[in-house]
């Protein structure tokens, strides 16, 4: 098992169970990916992510114990 620190932004802050002020510690399998983390948080809509302060859109990027995952809502202008 690994533990990943997660920060949620925008409307996601209030929509993820267990998040306190948009922050939570997520326990995942040792071979977990960003996609696995999003699934564990029941996030099904498109989002933007950053892993350890590096923008990362690859859902299959592996996670490691102690990583910081930032999750942002996508927005569109018009």
């Amino acid at each position: 098992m690994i533990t990943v620190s997660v920060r949620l932004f925008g409307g996601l802050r209030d929509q993820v169970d267990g998040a306190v002020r948009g922050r939570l510690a997520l326990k995942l399998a040792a071979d977990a990916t960003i996609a696995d983390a999003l699934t564990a948080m029941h996030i099904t809509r498109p989002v933007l992510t950053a892993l350890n302060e590096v923008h990362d859109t690859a859902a299959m990027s592996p996670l490691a114990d102690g990583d910081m995952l930032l999750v942002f809502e996508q927005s569109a202008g018009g």
Side-chain angles (χ1 to χ4, degrees), residues 41-56:
M41 293 183 285
H42 306 288
I43 297 174
T44 57
R45 63 180 183 233
V47 294
L48 301 173
T49 60
L51 183 58
N52 299 323
E53 299 184 14
V54 177
H55 176 71
D56 191 333

Side-chain angles (χ1 to χ4, degrees), residues 16-66:
V16 174
D17 292 337
V20 177
R21 290 186 296 231
R23 296 174 186 250
L24 71 143
L26 193 60
K27 294 192 182 299
L28 300 164
D31 61 348
T33 63
I34 290 175
D36 295 325
L38 296 175
T39 298
M41 293 183 285
H42 306 288
I43 297 174
T44 57
R45 63 180 183 233
V47 294
L48 301 173
T49 60
L51 183 58
N52 299 323
E53 299 184 14
V54 177
H55 176 71
D56 191 333
T57 58
M60 298 315 294
S61 294
L63 297 170
D65 194 48

